[in-house]
Amino acid sequence: AQTVTQSQPEMSVQEAETVTLSCTYDTSESDYYLFWYKQPPSRQMILVIRQEAYKQQNATENRFSVNFQKAAKSFSLKISDSQLGDAAMYFCAYRSGAQGGSEKLVFGKGTKLTVNP
Amino acid sequence: KAGVTQTPRYLIKTRGQQVTLSCSPISGHRSVSWYQQTPGQGLQFLFEYFSETQRNKGNFPGRFSGRQFSNSRSEMNVSTLELGDSALYLCASSLDGGTVRKLFFGSGTQLSVL
């Protein structure tokens, strides 16, 4: 079974600075997808960024980018120019490419990000 | 377009009772998934429905069940509640379960079992 590990339970960053959240995963599959989700106090999970394993280029969405190291099974999230609204729980998630159309995700335990003004 | 709607937002039950949670997906979405979120176990996949059929199931006891209706609305039921069932239950929908699509989550139902 696939597992996702987030080794940083909590992180903090100063407003306008850059922070990197770590995620490692364990899988024997070659076809899979990785995601970062944000969960603010409203509890609604919001997709931040997504990476297909077959793509070598790291995904980027505005101030959010990933460092995808397939051989090392590492998938870190970099947040640039941090804003107060970025404060939330961040979850790394894995989706197998071998589960038909199922959207089942395996989540890490999360990292609580605090942004200091 | 309305987002994923989960009702109720909060629920308090006692051990041994049963509970039904509801999820209305975004209009046009046919895939609905359920997750249990607890401080100890994190987010765990419960089950997924697509076009009224259970497509995938997580590792939960048979007390946890679900269904999907023809309008794609979904319900999950937990029978004989235990204290450990206290959790945030999240529902997510996607447009088409046949390809990897973006999941849209609701704000969850917070269940407390006393």
Side-chain angles (χ1 to χ4, degrees), chain A residues 38 63-64 79-88 90 113 115:
Chain A
K38 168 185 176 181
R63 298 181 296 107
F64 299 88
I79 306 174
S80 304
D81 186 24
S82 296
Q83 300 175 358
L84 295 177
D86 294 333
Y90 284 81
L113 178 66
V115 181

Side-chain angles (χ1 to χ4, degrees), chain A residues 37 47 50 95 101-103, chain B residues 1-4 24-33 48-52 55 68 70-72 91-105:
Chain A
Y37 278 87
L47 177 64
R50 157 185 156 170
R95 181 197 179 278
S102 175
E103 300 288 355
Chain B
K1 201 179 232 185
V4 178
S24 292
I26 291 172
S27 178
H29 286 195
R30 294 190 296 165
S31 173
V32 174
S33 304
E48 177 186 6
Y49 288 87
F50 177 70
S51 293
E52 302 180 65
R55 187 215 304 277
Q68 186 179 33
S70 59
N71 61 359
S72 292
C91 164
S93 74
S94 62
L95 181 59
D96 184 341
T99 55
V100 178
R101 299 283 183 171
K102 181 178 178 178
L103 282 182
F104 293 83
F105 282 82

Side-chain angles (χ1 to χ4, degrees), chain B residues 7-19:
Chain B
T7 56
R9 288 268 292 176
Y10 300 91
L11 205 49
I12 299 175
K13 293 286 187 179
T14 56
R15 278 182 301 174
Q17 287 186 311
Q18 75 166 21
V19 67

Side-chain angles (χ1 to χ4, degrees), chain A residues 96-115:
Chain A
S96 168
Q99 56 188 30
S102 175
E103 300 288 355
K104 175 188 173 183
L105 297 176
V106 176
F107 285 92
K109 290 292 181 69
T111 296
K112 182 180 179 181
L113 178 66
T114 301
V115 181

Side-chain angles (χ1 to χ4, degrees), chain B residues 2-96:
Chain B
V4 178
T5 304
Q6 291 189 246
T7 56
R9 288 268 292 176
Y10 300 91
L11 205 49
I12 299 175
K13 293 286 187 179
T14 56
R15 278 182 301 174
Q17 287 186 311
Q18 75 166 21
V19 67
T20 299
L21 312 181
S22 179
C23 172
S24 292
I26 291 172
S27 178
H29 286 195
R30 294 190 296 165
S31 173
V32 174
S33 304
W34 289 89
Y35 290 83
Q36 181 196 65
Q37 185 176 16
T38 61
Q41 299 298 317
L43 282 145
Q44 293 185 288
F45 173 78
L46 280 157
F47 27 65
E48 177 186 6
Y49 288 87
F50 177 70
S51 293
E52 302 180 65
T53 301
Q54 188 179 84
R55 187 215 304 277
N56 205 343
K57 188 178 187 303
N59 188 26
F60 278 81
R63 299 185 297 106
F64 292 80
S65 63
R67 59 177 175 169
Q68 186 179 33
F69 301 95
S70 59
N71 61 359
S72 292
R73 189 177 72 85
S74 178
E75 288 182 347
M76 67 163 283
N77 183 277
V78 188
S79 62
T80 319
L81 284 166
E82 300 177 0
L83 295 179
D85 297 334
S86 294
L88 177 66
Y89 290 88
L90 291 166
C91 164
S93 74
S94 62
L95 181 59
D96 184 341

